[in-house]
Amino acid sequence: MIGCLLPVQAYAQSSIPLPILSIDDHLNERPLFDALTRRVAGLEVDVYLVEDELRIGQHIDLLTKGRTLTNLYLEPLRLLSMRNNGQVYEDASTPLVLILDIKTDAMATYKALQRVMAGYERMLTRYSMTSTLPGTISLIITGNYSSDLLASEAERFVAIQGSVTNLTDADFNRHLSPVISLDWSGLFVWDGSGEMPADQLESLSMVSRMIRDAGAISRMLKAPPSPAVWRVLQSANIDLVDSDQVEFFGLFLRSNGL
């Protein structure tokens, strides 16, 4: 395991993490490490509760015993943070966002997640309904979960992903929903050809500002994998952009000054 950490640390001498969310990260040849060597700000994985293990994979029929959230992500991140003075990237203090897309029963899976998190509390962001204490890793859950259960806890080590429509809710709480998702396909029709229509560009900028003003970070889903689209998202200050082309996206961002 330690040997796998060396390339990450060697690469981590450049600049800030890139606004990339490595989606379906478990499908990469080296889960976690392929993304970290490219300085991503976040990752997303699918999580299933099977035989009391939180297994990582694309489909419940294809899961492998021992290929777990702990073994593939939490333990390597703990070891890496020990080498980097409590951070994932030696020269950056922003928490790495790890999004867990829960695919099995909400209550049973969350109870199993609580047991797992208990061994990693020192490196996890702590949340209550009135405060957020950043850690090395910020765990965010999507898919199957109970927002009422999480909201009832005095302290927790996980938060949920909200949507842009939640920003207008009277009870919106950034400590419960610190990540706000935007679905490109539901908001925009521009595919990167030519210039983005002015009204759509203004809508994107407005929504990005709304999320920042609410104290949350933005996540863009399903954006076309086009340099023209990436350039627009970069100028609109979107915090996390979903991508399964992390290397290509990262090279683009580097060539544009990040």
Side-chain angles (χ1 to χ4, degrees), residues 48-122:
Y48 298 80
L49 177 61
V50 179
E51 297 178 0
D52 207 35
E53 286 188 336
L54 292 178
R55 296 184 186 175
I56 302 297
Q58 196 67 13
H59 191 278
I60 195 166
D61 294 332
L62 302 176
L63 302 178
T64 303
K65 185 177 179 62
R67 190 176 168 88
T68 65
L69 175 63
T70 297
N71 294 340
L72 291 183
Y73 290 92
L74 295 182
E75 186 60 17
L77 285 168
R78 185 186 71 82
L79 294 174
L80 185 60
S81 68
M82 288 174 61
R83 295 171 63 90
N84 289 339
N85 297 316
Q87 302 301 331
V88 173
Y89 299 117
E90 188 176 28
D91 56 345
S93 59
T94 304
L96 181 77
V97 176
L98 179 54
I99 296 180
L100 311 178
D101 190 355
I102 306 299
K103 299 297 188 180
T104 43
D105 178 76
M107 295 298 291
T109 307
Y110 183 59
K111 288 180 180 178
L113 179 58
Q114 285 180 308
R115 292 193 293 271
V116 168
M117 291 189 297
Y120 295 93
E121 291 180 357
R122 293 183 61 181

Side-chain angles (χ1 to χ4, degrees), residues 19-248:
I20 301 173
L21 185 80
S22 176
I23 60 171
D24 295 330
D25 184 77
H26 45 276
L27 297 180
N28 289 330
E29 183 177 349
R30 296 188 310 154
L32 178 65
F33 291 102
D34 283 350
L36 291 188
T37 55
R38 293 172 175 88
R39 300 282 295 184
V40 304
L43 309 98
E44 181 198 45
V45 296
D46 294 344
V47 179
Y48 298 80
L49 177 61
V50 179
E51 297 178 0
D52 207 35
E53 286 188 336
L54 292 178
R55 296 184 186 175
I56 302 297
Q58 196 67 13
H59 191 278
I60 195 166
D61 294 332
L62 302 176
L63 302 178
T64 303
K65 185 177 179 62
R67 190 176 168 88
T68 65
L69 175 63
T70 297
N71 294 340
L72 291 183
Y73 290 92
L74 295 182
E75 186 60 17
L77 285 168
R78 185 186 71 82
L79 294 174
L80 185 60
S81 68
M82 288 174 61
R83 295 171 63 90
N84 289 339
N85 297 316
Q87 302 301 331
V88 173
Y89 299 117
E90 188 176 28
D91 56 345
S93 59
T94 304
L96 181 77
V97 176
L98 179 54
I99 296 180
L100 311 178
D101 190 355
I102 306 299
K103 299 297 188 180
T104 43
D105 178 76
M107 295 298 291
T109 307
Y110 183 59
K111 288 180 180 178
L113 179 58
Q114 285 180 308
R115 292 193 293 271
V116 168
M117 291 189 297
Y120 295 93
E121 291 180 357
R122 293 183 61 181
M123 76 172 187
L124 299 178
T125 296
R126 293 174 181 256
Y127 301 96
S128 73
M129 292 300 283
T130 58
S131 66
T132 297
L133 180 62
T136 306
I137 312 296
S138 291
L139 289 182
I140 308 294
I141 56 176
T142 63
N144 298 329
Y145 62 82
S146 169
S147 57
D148 290 339
L149 172 61
L150 270 68
S152 70
E153 295 183 320
E155 182 180 69
R156 52 192 152 74
F157 295 90
V158 68
I160 63 176
Q161 175 179 279
S163 69
V164 67
T165 57
N166 296 137
L167 294 178
T168 58
D169 294 344
D171 60 350
F172 172 75
N173 189 309
R174 65 184 177 90
H175 304 296
L176 180 63
S177 304
V179 174
I180 298 296
S181 67
L182 305 162
D183 187 335
W184 180 280
S185 63
L187 294 171
F188 309 109
V189 296
W190 182 60
D191 63 359
S193 302
E195 296 292 327
M196 187 176 192
D199 59 334
Q200 294 184 48
L201 183 59
E202 176 56 31
S203 294
L204 175 62
S205 298
M206 179 186 67
V207 172
S208 178
R209 288 194 301 270
M210 285 176 57
I211 295 172
R212 286 181 179 272
D213 289 345
I217 64 175
S218 52
R219 175 192 179 187
M220 180 61 73
L221 291 69
K222 301 179 182 177
S226 155
V229 172
W230 291 339
R231 189 172 291 109
V232 165
L233 294 173
Q234 183 183 4
S235 65
N237 296 313
I238 297 299
D239 299 297
L240 298 169
V241 180
D242 281 16
S243 180
D244 58 3
Q245 301 181 22
V246 171
E247 183 172 12
F248 181 39

